[in-house]
Amino acid sequence: MADRSGIAGPERVAGRQKLLAVLLAMAMFVLVVDTSLMNVSISAVVRDLDTTVSGVQSAIALEALVSAAFILIGGKVGDLVGRKAAYVTGLLGYAVGATAMTVAQGLTAIIVFWAIVGGIGASLLLPAMQSLIHGNFEGGARKKVYALVGAAAAIAAAVGPLLGGFITTFVTWRLGFALEVVVIAVVLSGIRLVRDVPYTGARGVDLVGAMLSVLGMGGVVLGVLVWQEGGEFVGALMVMGVAAIVGLGFWLVRRKRRERPALLDPDLFRSALFQVGVSQQCLQQIALGGMMIALPIYLQMVLEYNALQAGLSLAPLSLSMFAVALIAGKRAGRRRPSTVVRWGFLLFAIGTSLLIPIVPRAEFGWALLVPLAVAGTGLGLLVSQLNNYTLSPIPEARASEAASVNSAAGSFGLSLGLALAGAVMLAALSATFTSRTEESTVLPPADQQRVATALERDAQVMSNTELSRLLAEEPAEIRDEIMRINTEARPLALQIALLVPLVAALAGLINSFRMGRLPDPKPSGSGDLVLG
């Protein structure tokens, strides 16, 4: 009996750890698939809530921004109140956002609950998950859990557009978010399996650093979003954001010299490898964000695809990224990380460059297959290298803090790419539409002025079907002329928006030569033990 009891104990512990690992992977899956679901459902959300494309796009960018702005603070909150409590709070925040999407009747609920509350939930969840995996697993088991959770994130990124497109097309986009709530409930049902991880470091709070972090990232991206919506004080917001980021750097150095608690250790940036790795992570996400807002809008508002058709059209990008990241991560061999990254940015730039002339000529989504596969291959190469490159040189004791900075840079880049591409697209649409309207020999001067005034107040990407409905009472020749202008203006605006990811990729390509001049990082093991 003693032997059987002695065997049962370790087996029970191993079983509980396996279940905990699966639950953590489920939480990460929801975290990643959430935005994919929103991207392919843009037209359905716009139609059901009677809102605008730019409003939904702003909500998507705002969610990424809130996550970026608060992720450094979220890690510190977990240190102070307990990682388990932060983990639960983050899951509940995400559940609130998903529930709001399930029952939302307007854009305000999406912005408040999905973008802001859900974004704060994400900022608490990721750092807490990092610490809990580190504290609940040891040795080889810990590496396997990190690999499992990372695989869950990669699979979610790959299948998210297809899964979201299927649910939205055949049922409703609301069901996708309702299923997220169910998954979160399952994850929370196993919370007793989680052992809290005590924090033994300094417990002081750097309120000024936290405020500067939020103002810095928030000011820059909000400035772009306000510009997109035609608001005021755009320049003031941008200047405030840049000044806050610069001020944060000086503040952290000052706190370090005085040996006072700081939001993060500025010595992390003494590593040239960490500096360049974080900058490349940010550029990669700017490129991805720009691509993932411009293409879904093109597919749903220009080609008038439903969510499933849009998801299938985007599949070459996500699936090639997943496959190449998996293969390149295992078979990089003796190739220098800088070389792989250089090829990654180059291929992404080539894929985007191929897309730009195709956009006005494509009559179906599969015309984008080759450019998207090329761009996805580039992203896969980047994903396979940047996380490890940035974090491998960092001692394990500081891996969690470094991973938070890395995640913040990535989320900030994603939100900036989403916001900037959307704003550039609407600005180009307004300028092109106004120019074509003024050149028209069909529209009378009064209608030309009315169109120009409407665009100045609220430019929107609109499908021809929706525009035709709005113009139903106009004379046939006026309606046909405005439809013609809309048909010509939208592809050009989307081409210009694609310059955002292209420029980010070219900047990353140039930066990769700086990587090549640096010695390759000597792995400390931290790169395999982080969630980024």
Side-chain angles (χ1 to χ4, degrees), residues 382-405:
L382 295 174
V383 169
S384 74
Q385 298 296 316
L386 283 179
N387 205 43
N388 278 334
Y389 180 92
T390 306
L391 300 171
S392 285
I394 305 299
E396 189 172 330
R398 302 171 66 190
S400 181
E401 182 180 26
S404 293
V405 175

Side-chain angles (χ1 to χ4, degrees), residues 179-527:
L179 291 175
E180 288 186 16
V181 178
V182 173
V183 173
I184 292 172
V186 172
V187 173
L188 287 172
S189 71
I191 196 63
R192 67 186 185 281
L193 300 174
V194 179
R195 183 178 71 253
D196 205 355
V197 180
Y199 175 65
T200 57
R203 303 189 70 83
V205 178
D206 180 9
L207 292 176
V208 174
M211 180 183 68
L212 290 172
S213 171
V214 173
L215 290 176
M217 287 184 274
V220 173
V221 178
L222 284 177
V224 176
L225 292 177
V226 170
W227 170 51
Q228 168 185 295
E229 297 298 328
E232 300 178 353
F233 308 112
V234 173
L237 283 169
M238 299 287 285
V239 170
M240 179 192 72
V242 173
I245 291 173
V246 174
L248 176 61
F250 284 107
W251 174 258
L252 293 175
V253 172
R254 180 185 178 189
R255 297 283 285 188
K256 176 75 173 180
R257 288 174 179 170
R258 296 187 176 187
E259 298 183 352
R260 303 290 299 278
L263 181 65
L264 59 94
D265 187 353
D267 285 349
L268 284 172
F269 292 93
R270 291 185 181 275
S271 167
L273 295 172
F274 186 75
Q275 286 180 24
V276 74
V278 167
S279 65
Q280 293 290 64
Q281 184 79 263
C282 185
L283 289 169
Q284 175 206 337
Q285 292 297 318
I286 291 174
L288 179 61
M291 181 79 77
M292 292 308 293
I293 199 64
L295 288 181
I297 290 175
Y298 167 74
L299 292 167
Q300 295 173 73
M301 307 309 292
V302 177
L303 298 184
E304 300 195 36
Y305 275 8
N306 61 34
L308 179 58
Q309 292 171 316
L312 287 169
S313 299
L314 292 172
L317 179 72
S318 57
L319 294 179
S320 61
M321 178 177 67
F322 173 69
V324 172
L326 193 64
I327 295 170
K330 294 180 178 180
R331 299 188 179 181
R334 296 182 180 179
R335 296 178 182 86
R336 297 190 65 197
S338 59
T339 302
V340 178
V341 169
R342 186 175 303 136
W343 274 103
F345 277 117
L346 178 61
L347 288 173
F348 186 88
I350 290 173
T352 307
S353 298
L354 292 173
L355 276 174
I356 291 175
I358 289 176
V359 161
R361 298 172 176 83
E363 297 181 357
F364 48 89
W366 286 106
L368 312 179
L369 189 152
V370 172
L372 288 182
V374 173
T377 299
L379 284 173
L381 292 176
L382 295 174
V383 169
S384 74
Q385 298 296 316
L386 283 179
N387 205 43
N388 278 334
Y389 180 92
T390 306
L391 300 171
S392 285
I394 305 299
E396 189 172 330
R398 302 171 66 190
S400 181
E401 182 180 26
S404 293
V405 175
N406 195 42
S407 295
S411 295
F412 173 68
L414 181 65
S415 65
L416 184 59
L418 290 165
L420 195 56
V424 167
M425 179 170 55
L426 290 181
L429 177 67
S430 178
T432 305
F433 216 113
T434 300
S435 174
R436 299 288 169 88
T437 299
E438 292 174 349
E439 294 170 358
S440 173
T441 58
V442 176
L443 295 177
D447 284 340
Q448 292 180 6
Q449 182 60 40
R450 186 154 55 96
V451 170
T453 302
L455 287 171
E456 184 178 354
R457 184 178 66 252
D458 186 27
Q460 297 295 335
V461 178
M462 192 174 294
S463 68
N464 278 342
T465 299
E466 184 179 3
L467 184 60
S468 178
R469 180 177 58 82
L470 292 176
L471 298 172
E473 297 181 1
E474 296 289 335
E477 60 179 8
I478 300 295
R479 183 173 61 248
D480 292 344
E481 179 67 0
I482 294 178
M483 293 281 288
R484 179 191 68 79
I485 293 173
N486 188 53
T487 301
E488 294 177 359
R490 290 174 309 170
L492 179 58
L494 288 161
Q495 285 178 301
I496 295 173
L498 285 171
L499 294 177
V500 172
L502 177 59
V503 169
L506 293 175
L509 178 63
I510 293 170
N511 205 24
S512 69
F513 289 97
R514 180 190 172 199
M515 291 177 69
R517 292 194 295 269
L518 297 173
D520 291 341
K522 297 179 180 179
S524 66
S526 298

Side-chain angles (χ1 to χ4, degrees), residues 140-181:
R142 183 188 298 164
K143 289 187 176 182
K144 290 179 180 179
V145 175
Y146 275 117
L148 176 64
V149 175
I155 292 171
V159 306
L162 296 173
L163 183 63
F166 180 85
I167 293 172
T168 300
T169 300
F170 292 106
V171 190
T172 170
W173 54 273
R174 297 180 188 275
L175 177 62
F177 292 100
L179 291 175
E180 288 186 16
V181 178

